[in-house]
C-alpha cells in the first residue's frame, strides 16, 4: 500500500529493507507515517551536511549542507525515505535555488505539516557560496525555533 498524507501506512515501507537509491527525485517515494504526538506543537529537524546535486550547465557536482525544520501536522516523514529522496539528487541537474525550494515545496505539499522551512547552504563554485532559504509561512506562535547552526561561509564545514 502506498503512503499518502491522507492514508499513511501503518508501517514504514523502506525501513529494515535493502532499498536501492531512486534514479531521480521524481521517482523517489517519500513515506509518511502518523504523527506520534498529534495536537502538540514541536519542531523536527533533519540535517544533511553532505547533500549533492549536479550543475545543470556544467554537469559538475554541487555540494550543500541542508537543514529542514518542520512542525508536524497529521503525519511525519520517515527518515529513511527522506534519505533516499535526498540521495536521488546525486544525478539530478538543477540550480541551487530550484533544488532547495523544490525539496521544501514537495515535503510541504505531500506531508502537509503545520509549518516547514529549509535552508540550503551551498559550498562555493566560482568563488561564490549561494545560500537559499524557503519557508511555508510564519512559524506557529510559541514554537522554539533554534538557529539552523550553519555559519556564513568561511571554509564552511
Amino acid at each position: 500500500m502506498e503512503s499518502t498524507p491522507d492514508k499513511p501506512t501503518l508501517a514504514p515501507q523502506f525501513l529494515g529493507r535493502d532499498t536501492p537509491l531512486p534514479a531521480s527525485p521524481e521517482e523517489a517515494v517519500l513515506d509518511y507515517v502518523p504523527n506520534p504526538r498529534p495536537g502538540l506543537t514541536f519542531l523536527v529537524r533533519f540535517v544533511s551536511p553532505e547533500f549533492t546535486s549536479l550543475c545543470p550547465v556544467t554537469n559538475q557536482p554541487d555540494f550543500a549542507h541542508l537543514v529542514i525544520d518542520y512542525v508536524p501536522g497529521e503525519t511525519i516523514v520517515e527518515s529513511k525515505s527522506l534519505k533516499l529522496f535526498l540521495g536521488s539528487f546525486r544525478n539530478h541537474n538543477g540550480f541551487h535555488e530550484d533544488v532547495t525550494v523544490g525539496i521544501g515545496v514537495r515535503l510541504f505539499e505531500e506531508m502537509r505539516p503545520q509549518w516547514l522551512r529549509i535552508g540550503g547552504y551551498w559550498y562555493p563554485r566560482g568563488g561564490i557560496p549561494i545560500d537559499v532559504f524557503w519557508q511555508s509561512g510564519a512559524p506557529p506562535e510559541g514554537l522554539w525555533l533554534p538557529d539552523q547552526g550553519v555559519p556564513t561561509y568561511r571554509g564552511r564545514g
Side-chain angles (χ1 to χ4, degrees), residues 4-146:
T4 68
D6 292 339
K7 290 184 171 181
T9 57
L10 296 177
Q13 56 186 319
F14 303 113
L15 204 54
R17 297 188 177 146
D18 251 354
T19 310
L21 198 62
S24 70
E26 296 77 26
E27 292 179 26
V29 174
L30 286 158
D31 193 13
Y32 301 97
V33 296
N35 178 353
R37 298 287 179 172
L40 292 180
T41 299
F42 62 96
L43 182 80
V44 177
R45 173 170 288 171
F46 287 105
V47 178
S48 179
E50 299 176 349
F51 179 84
T52 59
S53 65
L54 298 174
C55 173
V57 176
T58 66
N59 215 35
Q60 297 274 336
D62 285 323
F63 302 90
H65 184 135
L66 297 183
V67 181
I68 301 166
D69 293 325
Y70 76 94
V71 175
E74 293 182 19
T75 63
I76 59 173
V77 65
E78 191 278 313
S79 61
K80 183 174 181 182
S81 75
L82 180 65
K83 178 186 81 168
L84 293 167
F85 170 60
L86 295 177
S88 73
F89 282 87
R90 289 182 188 169
N91 297 314
H92 175 78
N93 295 84
F95 289 109
H96 299 52
E97 297 84 350
D98 185 44
V99 169
T100 305
V101 175
I103 291 168
V105 168
R106 178 162 174 193
L107 284 167
F108 185 73
E109 288 178 350
E110 288 186 14
M111 184 173 35
R112 295 186 216 145
Q114 294 180 45
W115 176 80
L116 184 140
R117 78 173 175 181
I118 183 170
Y121 303 85
W122 293 84
Y123 291 83
R125 288 207 321 111
I128 300 175
I130 299 173
D131 295 338
V132 181
F133 308 97
W134 181 83
Q135 69 180 22
S136 61
E141 190 173 326
L143 177 67
W144 175 39
L145 191 56

